[in-house]
Amino acid sequence: MGGFLKLPVILVLVYGCIQIFGQVHEANRCIWNDECSDDGKPCFSNTIPQPLIDPEGIYLLSQLCPKLVVSPTPPTCCSTAILRRMAGFTVRFAQQNLRRCPSCMENIMNHFCQITCSPNQSQFVNVTLSDATGSDVLVNGTEVFLTNEYAEGIHTSCKDVLYPGVNDIKVIDLMCPGYSDETCNPQIWFNALYLTSITPYTVAYNFVDSSQTFTNGIQPLSDTPFRCQDSTFGNPACSCEDCPAVCVEEYVPEPTNEPFEIGEVDGWILILSVIFFVFLSVLLVLILCIAFCKRRRSDSNEVRDANCCDSCSKLFNDTLSGVFEKWGRLVAKHPFIVLLISLVVVIACSCGIYYTEIVTDPIELWSSSSAQTRKDQIEFQETFGSESRTEQLFITPRVNGKEVYDSFRNGPLEFNALFDLSIFEEVLNLQNEISRLPVSYTYPNGTKIEITLKDVCVQPGAPYSQECFINSVLQHWQNSFEKMNTTVILGGRKADYHDHFLFCTTSPLSPESFMGLPCGSNLGIPAFPYTTLGGYKNDNGVDVYNSAEAFIFTLFLREEVDNDVLSGMTFAWEEAFIEFMHKYSSDLIRVSYYATSTLEEEIKRESEADTVTIAISYCAVFVYIVLALGQYNKCSRILVDSKVLLGLSGIIIILLSILSAAGIYGYVGVKTSLIALEVVPFIILAVGADNMFILVKDYQLDVRRSGETREEQIGRTIGRVGPSIFMCGLSESFAFFVGAYIRIEGIHTFALYAGLAVLFDFILQMSAFVAVLSIDAWRQDAGRMEPCCCCTCSRESTSNELGYFQLFMKKIYAPLIVNKWVRPIIVIVFVAATCISVYLTTMLTVVLDRADVLDDDSYATAFVRDYQAYGQIGPPVYFVVAGDYDYSNELAQNMICGGTNCSDNSLHQQLSAAGRDPENSLIAFPPNSWLDDYFDWIGPNFGSCCKLKEAGGDFCSTADPAYLGCTTNCIPASTDAWQRPIGQTFITYLPNFLGTLTGQYCTKGGATSYGSAIAFNDDGSIKATYFSSFHAKLSTGLDDIESLKIVLQICEDIEKEIRKNIDVGDNFRVFPYSDSYVFYEQFLDIVDEAKIILPAILVPVFVVTLLLMSFDFISSIIVIVNVAMVVVNTMGVMYLLDIYFNAISLVNLMMATGISVEFISHIVRTFRLSTLPTRKQRAEFSLATTGSSILSGVALTNLPGIIVLNFASSKVFRDYYFQMFLAITIIGTLHGLMFLPALLTYLGPPLNRAEAEAEASKSNGNVQRIHMTKMDPETHNGYDNKAAEH
């Protein structure tokens, strides 16, 4: 019985073999001519071609194979049924995806026509598998002969055709499962064609050399295919996007930061060298003139009477000093009342802190509300909705190693340790733990619930599926360890998860691998290797995914601006996620992680952590002030002459001035920032400490006159130093207020807070501190000890002699600086240093690296390092077209699309050109294009996805089970294969395109790729749209800035080109959007802002100095020049210390302007009011008296606090605060105590004769004309006279 059953099978096989080996291969002979099975298999028929007489068949042949229509009833080897199946299945994929390149499409269609219908079919087609059914023989398999040149030609014409729906994917990637476009050669491609052409029989290709001959009549297909740059039967050539051969001009970015050259020499070096040598010449002439004038000077010591200007200047100074003297006496007489009033005012102002809001959002903090990218961000989110929040992980193995695996397709390959199955299992366990992470959330009404990831994650399959979209390599196995463990045996060889990984990463859009396992997630979303793998190599243009060193996991959380409950859940889950990851540990893998809120939270955390550092810094300064303010001449009076309470009071007053300023701004609703809270205290500390030292030291070294009370002496002290302190405070305050012109929130709030805090500090020091000084002077006079004033000691008077420090300044340092040989060297060195600094300033790097704002031990720092080491791609970028634009107009379409008939300068053509040059453009891939895909989706050919149930009937969705029965195109088939939807047709079917899912019968659905890419007006017209891509890997802040520059320029060029060709409305715009742009835009303008703001804040310094110096232009100019030199030198040092120029350093430079006024103005005013006869003597006197207070009050006060900052955990504190503050302090000190005195000896203001006469009249009232050379510069230690006024 068994043998009998085998007989029919044997007969069938024999019959099939007879038919196969009995084939005739010659011209004008077929292999088949009609179908003879329900599944469309053709009947073997080795006969001559039959004329095609059926009208439908003729119509189909004319549409599909016009070259074969040689007569009204053309002879063919195919019937109407075969043509019908060819139109419905075989060429569907090609017509949907290759029609954008006419020559490729023509070559493919001609190829299918030749092997399906050609009257010479038997010359190149051989039946290899058949099956007998009754009297018919079904063709199950064929062999097609073609020359290598023919195959290469068709392959070359098609290999670069883009698949616009997905970045970095070409159509050939879809047609070559398991191979990339680089490795899919003609042989592989042709043998894979049957996978997309859906034929009921198998097709095997036999590639032969064109010189090879066959004895059985075989003549391989050897037509000369069209090249992609060729036009075909009146159709245009392929576009540049799909055919590099037609590209006339590739993307060439405009050069940025071109070097400034004069001839072939660096322009800055040449200019600064000329300036320096001119200065040397002028200095030499000045020195010679001074020497010459001295020789010709008469022996007579008479001087002219004071002129009107001198008298007016003296009157102004006397009036101002008188006002301060009266105020000082008043405060000194009523210290407790003044303190009480000060306390009430401070408390009233400080209470406003309750209303103060601290800005921590980096975007709000470091971008201007008027910045264009900020406006673009708002417009993008309002138009297209908020982007999802992302949580990302980099996963690397703890143990490195390599394993050689004998892969199924590629033989032995080396896999990194990352691909060990135990690593996969550990990663899957981690993913499951994150997915199930329980988080407690409380509704606004107090109800508590427990949420997990699925409650806040993005769910692309909703409402049909609640599965979260987690982009990871595990999606290739649908998050199933069982599937990872799957092995199959094919042809005697084993394939496992290694082979599935290689296949799916090479062809991420393939439905499944050769192992029969799906490549995409359960939702059908592909996982692209550049988003899931990190650190893999590229070998001659081919990505080697098995060399990856890290897995990249990305979780997407929903964010809706107007949904407070969802936002609260999302933030709660994100916080729990960070806490979970912080505690997570594994023996197999190391994980770094990052969340959307990470940067903001880490900045806030670091600032709170560095509060301790700031507190220690203040304590160090306090200790120094207490020690430095005291007079320690006798051991028995140490506790009497110490200044613990006075120093503590001074520190408290400084803090109260900051609190008062913050409170005032709290009342009026001005927000503050962490940078203001961190930097302003140091400014006020420097200013306040300087004023404290000047006040206290001047009082200590002053001699109380006979019959003078303590209050009167204090008032006289305030009269001397008050105007100078007032001038500095007013200059600094106005300078900071001018700095508030910059609308970057971090700089704006800093400038406002600093300006008002300086004013409060001046007011409180002139009131509360003077009151405390009066009380402390009473204590000291009474011999009462600190801290308990009840205990008394010796009541002997305190010595007014100069201390060792003041003696050093007066006897050694000051004479050395003004020495005739030393001072020109000092001037030359400082001017040379300034010239060099100007040059170094031009080379400053403008950036703030993301790693700089993070602690070294922050989890985010580890993530940044991993991204720099393993990241393959940058953030997404959207090119937005907004405003009035008629997309239904063909000319307008040409300026947007990228395929055939589109403009060479269209939006997509320009963006694609940039995407083909990622190294220069920093755009990783050509962007996707819904417009080009829409054209293909609705195209007037048999492969069109857009079908109607009947002519003029309802739209037929691909989700409809009856879709294959819908044969009426939305646009009727036409001889114009490139016909587009225009007018109302365009508008009518666009929503259907956006609602179509990609599937087997329609590869151009817009729902997956473009669901949110278009925003509509109420009338159905397009309001705005975007075309998305990715940036190339942006490892540093410099990359981020450069990428923004480039895309802004590209969008500007695109908009300009569109406006040149299309009449668009005024509201039409093309702009780029990425979530980081709003932060990095500041770096595009910050240099220009600095060029305005830094000189601008010198203006109030000059004006105030000019007014309070009695319109002394020379003194005012000297102050401004020195302050400017301090800022320039600081910028030069920034380059040497590798400190970048950014908003933080700009704040510090503004601070440098304020602090340098303290180093400069006091000495200049002392020089201006000194009555000594020569500039050299006045400079020496100013340096000896005021210079010591400057050194001890500003420089040495800052140093203890600054040094502590070096131990902060934040790199921002170490680089931008410690190093820059230290540089500002040292540079300011050197300018104030070296360069300024030397400069004053040459260019200082002339002697005020009215002051000199008044000083002389104190000694001899009858003297009308005085001998200047006989004045004693050391009278009363130089303090109890006008020459000591500050």
Side-chain angles (χ1 to χ4, degrees), residues 201-214:
Y201 49 86
T202 62
V203 181
Y205 287 90
N206 193 331
F207 303 90
V208 300
D209 191 78
S210 57
S211 61
Q212 185 174 345
T213 59
F214 293 84

Side-chain angles (χ1 to χ4, degrees), residues 232-360:
T232 58
F233 306 111
N235 296 316
C238 302
S239 69
C240 175
E241 287 186 1
D242 305 312
C243 179
V246 306
C247 296
V248 178
E249 184 177 343
E250 285 296 283
Y251 173 75
V252 179
E254 291 189 2
T256 58
N257 301 324
E258 291 186 8
F260 170 52
E261 295 182 346
I262 299 177
E264 297 183 357
V265 180
D266 188 300
W268 284 110
I269 292 179
L270 181 60
I271 291 174
L272 292 171
S273 298
V274 171
I275 292 174
F276 179 69
F277 284 111
V278 169
F279 167 78
L280 284 181
S281 302
V282 172
L283 179 63
L284 179 61
V285 171
L286 181 63
I287 293 174
L288 292 176
C289 288
I290 292 173
F292 179 72
C293 291
K294 283 183 178 179
R295 292 193 186 97
R296 298 194 58 181
R297 186 177 297 163
S298 171
D299 290 336
S300 173
N301 289 320
E302 283 191 349
V303 296
R304 295 190 302 271
D305 292 333
N307 58 29
C308 180
C309 291
D310 291 338
S311 300
C312 291
S313 175
K314 181 180 183 304
L315 177 62
F316 180 83
N317 289 326
D318 289 345
T319 302
L320 190 62
S321 296
V323 170
F324 276 96
E325 184 173 346
K326 291 177 181 178
W327 171 257
R329 282 202 305 269
L330 178 64
V331 174
K333 287 181 180 179
H334 310 285
F336 293 103
I337 295 176
V338 172
L339 286 175
L340 180 61
I341 294 173
S342 299
L343 183 62
V344 170
V345 172
V346 167
I347 291 175
C349 293
S350 300
C351 286
I353 292 177
Y354 176 79
Y355 304 102
T356 300
E357 181 181 350
I358 299 177
V359 179
T360 57

Side-chain angles (χ1 to χ4, degrees), residues 771-787:
V772 175
L773 177 63
S774 176
I775 295 172
D776 187 74
W778 166 81
R779 177 196 61 78
Q780 191 172 12
D781 290 345
R784 296 181 182 274
M785 295 185 293
E786 290 187 309

Side-chain angles (χ1 to χ4, degrees), residues 1140-1206:
Y1140 299 143
F1141 186 83
N1142 48 50
I1144 298 177
S1145 52
L1146 179 56
V1147 166
N1148 290 341
L1149 291 173
M1150 293 167 63
M1151 182 193 77
T1153 304
I1155 291 181
S1156 58
V1157 171
E1158 295 288 329
F1159 288 108
I1160 307 300
S1161 294
H1162 293 298
I1163 293 178
V1164 172
R1165 192 169 192 277
T1166 302
F1167 181 93
R1168 177 71 180 84
L1169 297 179
S1170 173
T1171 56
L1172 296 177
T1174 66
R1175 286 186 175 90
K1176 178 182 176 181
Q1177 288 175 319
R1178 295 198 296 277
E1180 182 178 348
F1181 174 76
S1182 303
L1183 182 58
T1185 55
T1186 309
S1188 61
S1189 295
I1190 299 298
L1191 182 60
S1192 58
V1194 184
L1196 297 181
T1197 301
N1198 283 355
L1199 286 178
I1202 292 173
I1203 291 172
V1204 173
L1205 296 179
N1206 189 43

